Amino acid sequence: MANMVNVFLYGKKYEVPGDLTIMEAFEYAGYKLVRGVGCRNGFCGACATVYRIKGDRELKACLACSTKVEDNMSVATLPFFPLIKEGYDIEKVRPNEQIMMQLYPEIYSCVGCNACTKACSQSLNVMQYIAHAQRGEYEKCAELSFDCVMCGICSSRCPAGISHPQVAMLARRLNGKYIAPESLHLTTRVKEIEDGLCTEAIEAIMAKPIEELKELYNHRDIEK
């Protein structure tokens, strides 16, 4: 018999095995997760969750897919965090410091509290990549933020109201468009796809059962 713990999901008490993740606990309790969850046919980063342990005043944030339940844990999920996303044309903007001042001026109000880094579900150095964005160092910002899943938990803890994931996304786009060297083999393959030379291969892949696709993906050759 698994070690059972008490959890409160949306205020209702359930007894669940203690080795489950929060997401698995929802399913164990009978909730059917049908959208907004990455590993349940949604997108990664969408299972942002807040919780508090009985007797502890601290409100914590996490991703439900990778956080284990604890006894007397009270849980509420966030379907999305309302980040500020400014519109821009990547063909018209340029990788200079002025573009951040224009689109995301709040990054210059950062107080250096490091709450964003402490809250990050991916253990990214969020405050540092925002510092790079402030200085127009978009290549460094792009590298440090590469594993961001856009969950928005960092922004939920920011007293300056910075939309860290959107700042990082802009930096990665600027880096990919203007700074990073062109990946010639990728350019060649995109041209082949546009010319229809890969249509037969794509259709063959799409016709494969999901388990075979998983096997192919897990054993693919990874470029060094």
Side-chain angles (χ1 to χ4, degrees):
M1 186 67 179
N3 176 43
M4 305 297 283
V5 298
N6 293 319
V7 296
F8 296 83
L9 307 178
Y10 300 125
K12 188 174 181 179
K13 182 179 179 181
Y14 296 92
E15 191 176 34
V16 304
D19 60 350
L20 299 183
T21 64
I22 293 175
M23 188 181 297
E24 291 169 338
F26 271 107
E27 293 173 324
Y28 183 91
Y31 289 88
K32 186 177 181 181
L33 307 176
V34 295
R35 65 175 184 171
V37 181
C39 42
R40 302 297 190 275
N41 299 314
F43 60 92
C44 188
C47 63
T49 300
V50 291
Y51 70 91
R52 176 175 278 144
I53 306 300
K54 184 177 181 180
D56 186 351
R57 292 183 176 274
E58 183 180 0
L59 182 66
K60 300 179 180 179
C62 68
L63 293 183
C65 65
S66 56
T67 304
K68 291 290 185 70
V69 294
E70 298 180 46
D71 195 31
N72 289 315
M73 171 188 275
S74 294
V75 177
T77 59
L78 302 172
F80 70 95
F81 189 81
L83 301 171
I84 296 174
K85 181 180 180 180
E86 300 293 351
Y88 53 86
D89 185 342
I90 194 62
E91 300 293 339
K92 296 179 180 179
V93 297
R94 291 294 180 269
N96 51 43
E97 191 173 331
Q98 286 69 36
I99 191 61
M100 282 295 177
M101 291 181 179
Q102 176 185 340
L103 294 176
Y104 296 106
E106 65 273 13
I107 67 173
Y108 300 98
S109 299
C110 174
V111 297
C113 66
N114 211 31
C116 52
T117 301
K118 293 177 182 177
C120 179
S121 62
Q122 300 295 98
S123 300
L124 303 182
N125 193 339
V126 182
M127 190 176 77
Q128 183 59 56
Y129 78 61
I130 290 297
H132 287 311
Q134 290 172 335
R135 296 191 289 268
E137 298 171 347
Y138 300 128
E139 186 175 10
K140 293 180 180 179
C141 180
E143 182 178 354
L144 282 183
S145 68
F146 186 80
D147 289 327
C148 175
V149 295
M150 309 290 288
C151 67
I153 293 175
C154 54
S155 297
S156 73
R157 309 306 291 268
C158 180
I162 298 171
S163 291
H164 311 74
Q166 295 298 345
V167 172
M169 177 65 76
L170 174 56
R172 291 196 298 274
R173 287 173 173 168
L174 290 170
N175 182 60
K177 177 70 174 176
Y178 299 107
I179 302 172
E182 181 181 3
S183 178
L184 295 178
H185 68 287
L186 177 60
T187 302
T188 300
R189 181 51 58 88
V190 170
K191 183 65 167 57
E192 291 174 351
I193 293 173
E194 291 174 344
D195 291 342
L197 301 180
C198 301
T199 301
E200 185 176 342
I202 292 173
E203 291 176 348
I205 291 175
M206 293 177 66
K208 293 182 182 296
I210 187 67
E211 291 305 319
E212 185 176 348
L213 289 175
K214 289 180 180 179
E215 190 70 15
L216 288 171
Y217 180 81
N218 290 332
H219 295 88
R220 71 196 188 280
D221 291 330
I222 299 177
E223 183 179 348
K224 300 298 183 182

XYZ file of all heavy atoms in Angstrom, residues 101-134:
258
model
N 13.939 49.392 -24.587
C 13.396 50.602 -23.957
C 12.022 50.930 -24.508
O 11.140 51.395 -23.791
C 14.345 51.782 -24.197
C 15.673 51.688 -23.475
S 16.697 53.150 -23.814
C 18.154 52.794 -22.821
N 11.831 50.670 -25.788
C 10.560 50.980 -26.440
C 9.466 49.983 -26.074
O 8.334 50.383 -25.769
C 10.765 50.971 -27.951
C 9.480 51.197 -28.754
C 9.721 51.049 -30.253
O 10.853 51.153 -30.723
N 8.659 50.790 -30.982
N 9.797 48.685 -26.098
C 8.770 47.660 -25.919
C 8.599 47.218 -24.463
O 7.478 47.006 -24.006
C 9.110 46.436 -26.780
C 9.073 46.651 -28.293
C 9.528 45.393 -29.020
C 7.670 47.039 -28.749
N 9.688 47.067 -23.748
C 9.602 46.560 -22.375
C 10.416 47.445 -21.425
O 11.389 47.004 -20.804
C 10.106 45.114 -22.316
C 9.246 44.163 -23.108
C 9.680 43.649 -24.329
C 7.983 43.781 -22.651
C 8.883 42.785 -25.069
C 7.185 42.925 -23.379
C 7.632 42.432 -24.590
O 6.831 41.569 -25.313
N 10.019 48.710 -21.276
C 10.781 49.639 -20.425
C 10.785 49.248 -18.958
O 11.655 49.694 -18.198
C 10.060 50.973 -20.640
C 8.662 50.594 -21.036
C 8.821 49.347 -21.869
N 9.834 48.407 -18.542
C 9.759 48.017 -17.129
C 10.986 47.232 -16.683
O 11.244 47.111 -15.472
C 8.491 47.197 -16.864
C 8.402 45.853 -17.558
C 7.808 45.949 -18.952
O 7.692 47.064 -19.483
O 7.468 44.892 -19.497
N 11.779 46.671 -17.624
C 12.958 45.909 -17.198
C 13.978 46.808 -16.509
O 14.791 46.339 -15.720
C 13.625 45.150 -18.372
C 14.255 46.115 -19.385
C 12.644 44.214 -19.043
C 15.074 45.415 -20.460
N 13.906 48.120 -16.790
C 14.848 49.052 -16.168
C 14.385 49.471 -14.772
O 15.057 50.239 -14.091
C 15.044 50.268 -17.065
C 15.582 49.875 -18.428
C 14.736 49.733 -19.517
C 16.934 49.591 -18.600
C 15.218 49.336 -20.758
C 17.431 49.187 -19.830
C 16.566 49.058 -20.903
O 17.048 48.654 -22.118
N 13.221 48.914 -14.343
C 12.738 49.154 -12.977
C 13.062 47.984 -12.062
O 12.621 47.951 -10.912
C 11.217 49.384 -12.997
O 10.885 50.517 -13.772
N 13.829 47.018 -12.579
C 14.215 45.841 -11.780
C 14.930 46.295 -10.505
O 15.848 47.117 -10.568
C 15.119 44.930 -12.600
S 15.815 43.537 -11.674
N 14.487 45.771 -9.362
C 15.079 46.164 -8.077
C 16.133 45.160 -7.605
O 16.679 45.304 -6.512
C 13.986 46.325 -6.994
C 13.028 47.437 -7.372
C 13.227 45.010 -6.769
N 16.405 44.128 -8.424
C 17.445 43.166 -8.064
C 17.086 42.273 -6.896
O 17.971 41.792 -6.188
N 15.797 42.010 -6.699
C 15.381 41.186 -5.558
C 15.635 39.697 -5.788
O 15.649 38.910 -4.846
C 13.912 41.421 -5.238
S 12.770 40.846 -6.541
N 15.776 39.311 -7.051
C 16.045 37.922 -7.449
C 14.875 36.977 -7.194
O 15.038 35.746 -7.237
C 17.301 37.381 -6.751
C 18.034 36.368 -7.605
O 18.020 36.437 -8.835
N 18.686 35.409 -6.966
N 13.684 37.518 -6.937
C 12.517 36.661 -6.729
C 12.199 35.854 -7.981
O 11.728 34.719 -7.900
C 11.305 37.505 -6.330
N 12.465 36.428 -9.157
C 12.192 35.733 -10.423
C 13.041 34.477 -10.542
O 12.547 33.404 -10.914
C 12.443 36.665 -11.598
S 14.063 37.478 -11.586
N 14.323 34.586 -10.215
C 15.228 33.442 -10.287
C 14.834 32.367 -9.290
O 14.810 31.173 -9.608
C 16.680 33.884 -10.032
O 17.058 34.853 -11.015
C 17.632 32.711 -10.079
N 14.496 32.768 -8.086
C 14.118 31.808 -7.046
C 12.830 31.078 -7.416
O 12.641 29.919 -7.036
C 13.944 32.530 -5.712
C 15.247 33.090 -5.136
C 14.995 33.852 -3.849
C 16.296 34.438 -3.303
N 16.061 35.247 -2.079
N 11.939 31.741 -8.153
C 10.654 31.136 -8.495
C 10.718 30.262 -9.738
O 9.829 29.444 -9.961
C 9.613 32.239 -8.711
N 11.754 30.408 -10.549
C 11.806 29.744 -11.860
C 11.722 28.225 -11.743
O 12.527 27.595 -11.052
C 13.077 30.132 -12.601
S 13.209 29.332 -14.223
N 10.769 27.632 -12.456
C 10.580 26.181 -12.436
C 11.694 25.441 -13.155
O 11.884 24.242 -12.962
C 9.238 25.837 -13.087
O 9.222 26.262 -14.449
N 12.462 26.148 -14.000
C 13.552 25.531 -14.748
C 14.925 25.853 -14.157
O 15.950 25.514 -14.746
C 13.534 26.019 -16.203
C 12.246 25.703 -16.958
C 12.047 24.225 -17.120
O 11.330 23.603 -16.358
N 12.685 23.645 -18.107
N 14.933 26.521 -13.002
C 16.183 26.915 -12.323
C 17.048 27.810 -13.202
O 18.284 27.736 -13.169
C 16.980 25.674 -11.878
O 16.222 24.890 -10.976
N 16.412 28.668 -13.993
C 17.159 29.606 -14.828
C 17.568 30.823 -14.013
O 16.888 31.193 -13.048
C 16.313 30.060 -16.015
C 15.769 28.970 -16.943
C 14.990 29.601 -18.086
C 16.901 28.118 -17.485
N 18.669 31.462 -14.422
C 19.118 32.692 -13.777
C 18.376 33.852 -14.437
O 18.924 34.570 -15.278
C 20.630 32.850 -13.920
C 21.175 33.932 -13.008
O 20.432 34.816 -12.555
N 22.462 33.882 -12.725
N 17.122 34.017 -14.058
C 16.229 34.966 -14.729
C 16.715 36.400 -14.555
O 16.756 37.176 -15.517
C 14.784 34.821 -14.200
C 13.850 35.774 -14.941
C 14.300 33.380 -14.355
N 17.082 36.774 -13.342
C 17.513 38.152 -13.107
C 18.732 38.493 -13.964
O 18.859 39.604 -14.474
C 17.822 38.373 -11.624
C 18.046 39.851 -11.281
S 18.288 40.142 -9.513
C 19.995 39.588 -9.326
N 19.619 37.517 -14.155
C 20.823 37.769 -14.947
C 20.486 37.946 -16.422
O 21.039 38.826 -17.089
C 21.817 36.625 -14.780
C 23.130 36.840 -15.519
C 23.845 38.094 -15.080
O 24.140 38.291 -13.904
N 24.117 38.997 -16.016
N 19.551 37.140 -16.959
C 19.250 37.339 -18.375
C 18.483 38.631 -18.617
O 18.589 39.240 -19.684
C 18.599 36.108 -19.014
C 17.137 35.807 -18.806
C 16.136 36.686 -19.218
C 16.733 34.569 -18.306
C 14.795 36.375 -19.084
C 15.395 34.240 -18.180
C 14.424 35.149 -18.572
O 13.087 34.827 -18.451
N 17.748 39.101 -17.609
C 17.114 40.419 -17.725
C 18.185 41.504 -17.718
O 18.095 42.499 -18.456
C 16.101 40.644 -16.589
C 14.880 39.744 -16.772
C 15.671 42.115 -16.520
C 14.078 40.019 -18.035
N 19.236 41.324 -16.925
C 20.354 42.279 -16.905
C 21.025 42.347 -18.273
O 21.397 43.430 -18.745
C 21.363 41.890 -15.831
N 21.182 41.212 -18.929
C 21.745 41.195 -20.283
C 20.819 41.940 -21.254
O 21.291 42.685 -22.126
C 21.954 39.762 -20.754
C 23.104 39.056 -20.102
N 24.354 39.618 -20.006
C 23.186 37.834 -19.512
C 25.168 38.775 -19.387
N 24.482 37.684 -19.075
N 19.513 41.743 -21.108
C 18.557 42.437 -21.980
C 18.637 43.948 -21.775
O 18.544 44.723 -22.731
C 17.137 41.939 -21.710
N 18.827 44.373 -20.537
C 18.949 45.803 -20.246
C 20.129 46.423 -20.990
O 20.066 47.563 -21.430
C 19.142 46.012 -18.735
C 17.923 45.707 -17.890
C 18.243 45.753 -16.411
O 19.393 45.562 -15.996
N 17.238 46.005 -15.592
